Amino acid sequence: MRHYRTSATLPVSFMIALLMTTLVIPYSAGEAQTLAPSAQGESLPSAIEQLLRQRPLRAESQVISVGNSTVGIRVESSPPADDAPIEDLIEYWSRRSSDRTKTDLPGPSDIVRERLLGAGERRPWTLPRLYDFLPKNTDTHDRLYRVLTKDPKEFDEIEENNWRSSLYWWLQSNTQYLRNELIEAVRTRDNNDSDKLDEIEALAKLDWHTAKPLLERIVAAGMSRSYPIALSQLYEGSVKGTDMTQAEAYRASLKRLIVEDGLAAAARRTILSSLLKEDWAGQEEWFVSLFSDPNLSRQNQSRMTVITGASFIAGRRVSGSSRERDFQRMYFTSDPIPLSIALNLNPGKWIPVIAGLTSHKEAAIRNAAVTSLGVLLNNNRAEKKYREEAARTLLPWLTDPNWGPEQFRANFISMLAEIDLPESIPGLLWVLDNEKDDFTRESVVESLRRHCDSRIGPALKGHLSIVSNEELRWQIVTALAKCGGFSDEEMASAIEAYANMATTTEGQALIGEISEGKSGKILPLNVFIGQTLFQSDLNWATEGFAAILFDRLKEAPPAAATRILNKIRALPLNIARARLVERIGNSSANIADLTLALRIRDLLADDLRVELSELVKRGGYASGVAAITLKDRDRQIEILKGKDAKAQIALLAGARYLLEKLPIESLKGLTTGSDKTLTLAVESYLEIDGGAAARKLILTRRPDEFKIAGDITCLAGYQNELGELKAWEETLRGEMLAPGGVDEIYALAPAVPSKRLKGMVIRARRGRAEISVYDAAGGQKTRVLSESEFRELKDFTSRPEVEELGPESWRINKPIIPYEYLRLTKEGGKRIILAGFGSAPKSQSSHEKLADLFYRISKSSDKLR
């Protein structure tokens, strides 16, 4: 079956060196928190220096998640704004495509749909996960067909992507395109070819008049893999066409076929789906009779999958924990029996009917009914009320293990963790007390954790002291933490005990030995609780718990204090934010503190404005950090015009990291003094800014140095491939500096090696321009630009909005091949990193217009010589 969802003081040499050394390993939110702070009062200057080397925030994920809370710039569960960077839009909507539990959420706006389509035209490998979010019109079909039929050389891909076959099938099965190929496939493909099943369904949906005789021919040819779907489509077509006589004949054939021996479960589901879409006389009695037929009611063991890994248990310790071990969970990867298809089609009608069979005296019928309801419970796309109704019907299974199929009971118990069903608590507690299987008891704890009923804490604490299974103990501890089963003091003391052990040589050896599971040793219960809590997401943390730990940091051994602080610094709590500002004020803040403060500066400004304002008045590094955190423009300008170099350096470092505009005029006087650190901070900021005023100041300061300004930190992910970019820039720089050289250069080239193009250079001399296009094989074609082409190039590239452009995205990742635009004059140059090269989409950004301009000029191949 097919699936189209598939999933130089800053010149050139200095910037390249900076990118390939200090920026090779940028600090992400998580990585930064692992850096140990220096001694009290010594960390902040070092942190400011490191901040000046950070990639800008937009180059990183702009979300900090602590447990289920998000404290970053953008709430991860909410869609980005219509004008958000295209990388963010692609990332968010691609995730939505793969998360089938969010089908009830609103789709993208018309503006975003158009932007996603434009991105898909330039980067077609993104399309398989975006089809549902593109504009729903024939213009979309036309544009995607043009993408499919373009020369493969039109697209840059660092790695091969299977987007063409996906796009081909999507167009064929959803649009008017490739219809003849679809008809020919249905006509000629072998009836036992599995691909034909999708093609039959697509053609019947798109062109019933053409499909009908082809389906009749398949049916006339006799039994095959295609026979059930062809007969089902003929039946549905006759019902829609109100040919009741023919419909009844097809229905009779389908009813006979569905109970035949040897028919595949998928074929039975196809037939059932067709027969249950519309009501007909005697339908309920007929359907109920199927529960006694072993061909439909027998559980299909081959459809069960054992899934290994920690991601399926809610609240599970983080992946990669040294104590993590595999566990198994039986999970319905598809319907174990075909009968459950009725509950997908019309749960309101069929739940009461199937629920009535759960008390049937025949075990086979009862098991088939229980299994069908279990499938609905597992369906995250089903409406909440129907899943709750199914779960409520299955509650007798908790206290009567033999009431339903044994192999599915643990899965049912685990799924209760997703259902709001407080009446399940007594049954779950019964299972916890009476069940011997550890996996089943883990599932019970997982489900109990959802409710946090007052009965849960005492019951779980009682089991914690007697159970030996480590996985079950782990589940119990996390449930008690979430449900308030531990006091703040108990949790803080446990974490402190674990941190003290984990930061000693002997403790590390013991923890490692136990994690291997061969010694038979166990951690003391308090340390085990601390380890479990420490390796959880802390979404249960309270103000009181955090306050105890923050207070104890001063007395704890330095290594343990560092470990604890790195865990709790970003908690979405008032105490954590207050202590963060304190560390900035007393100069003990490290780089993790600074980046966190800048990421959550809106929260800090709302909650701690008075404290931050006091830091601004105090001066020093903390003053500059506080001013940028408060977004206080007046205070920022005062700092820049003043004499406090430390505050100025910190302000520049923060503004650079946040890509926040500072008044360039205020920076002119900061580079005339002897403070080299301040000079470097100004130049580093100007490079990241890259605007016309910033470039002018750079060139004014060092008129004898040929500088190329413009941020390239977005290319840190390509550091191993940037050698040719450096050579390219140096070659063009040499041309501009050579005696009698060109007057201007406009160039575009892939920033990393590409099979598509080496680059193109437009050289202007005395009002006349010539373009040279260099192919990847080393060939060169040259022609003179027409007067109109050269005028368009000069007019567009000199527009203020183009002069101010930074990188098209601060997060350019593989398989995108980024391109570098250069404009060089005798004074210096400007670079802009583009996320691709090609014709502009219908809705164009300035970056896309720039790429399109070079694309159109380079495509005049008939004029090249």
Side-chain angles (χ1 to χ4, degrees), residues 316 438-446 469 471-472 475:
R316 186 73 185 157
D438 286 331
F439 172 73
T440 302
R441 292 200 290 171
E442 285 183 50
S443 299
V444 168
V445 177
E446 176 190 3
N469 180 273
E471 301 296 337
L472 181 55
Q475 290 290 345

Side-chain angles (χ1 to χ4, degrees), residues 734-864:
E735 286 190 32
M736 290 300 305
L737 296 176
V742 296
D743 299 327
E744 290 180 288
I745 286 179
Y746 302 81
L748 191 79
V752 297
S754 168
K755 299 176 182 178
R756 180 182 178 190
L757 180 71
K758 186 76 171 179
M760 62 187 76
V761 181
I762 299 173
R763 298 173 173 89
R765 296 180 178 87
R766 295 179 292 279
R768 184 172 178 271
E770 182 179 82
I771 180 173
S772 296
V773 178
Y774 306 89
D775 61 39
Q780 174 183 345
K781 294 182 179 180
T782 303
R783 73 172 176 88
V784 175
L785 258 62
S786 68
E787 184 178 337
S788 61
E789 287 176 319
F790 190 34
R791 186 185 310 113
E792 180 184 10
L793 176 68
K794 290 180 67 70
D795 289 347
F796 179 78
T797 56
S798 61
R799 290 180 184 177
E801 64 268 25
V802 177
E803 284 286 293
E804 295 297 323
L805 285 180
E808 183 169 358
S809 170
W810 275 267
R811 287 192 291 149
I812 301 180
N813 300 310
K814 298 176 182 179
I816 297 172
I817 290 185
Y819 278 72
E820 181 188 50
Y821 160 75
L822 286 175
R823 182 184 180 187
L824 308 180
T825 66
K826 294 297 186 182
E827 290 74 30
K830 159 78 171 176
R831 75 162 67 81
I832 302 173
I833 302 300
L834 305 175
F837 165 64
S839 57
K842 189 174 182 180
S843 177
Q844 305 171 5
S845 67
S846 294
H847 291 96
E848 290 164 343
K849 290 177 181 178
L850 180 59
D852 179 74
L853 176 58
F854 275 87
Y855 178 81
R856 287 187 284 108
I857 293 175
S858 69
K859 280 301 170 182
S860 301
S861 55
D862 56 322
K863 299 177 183 178
L864 295 174

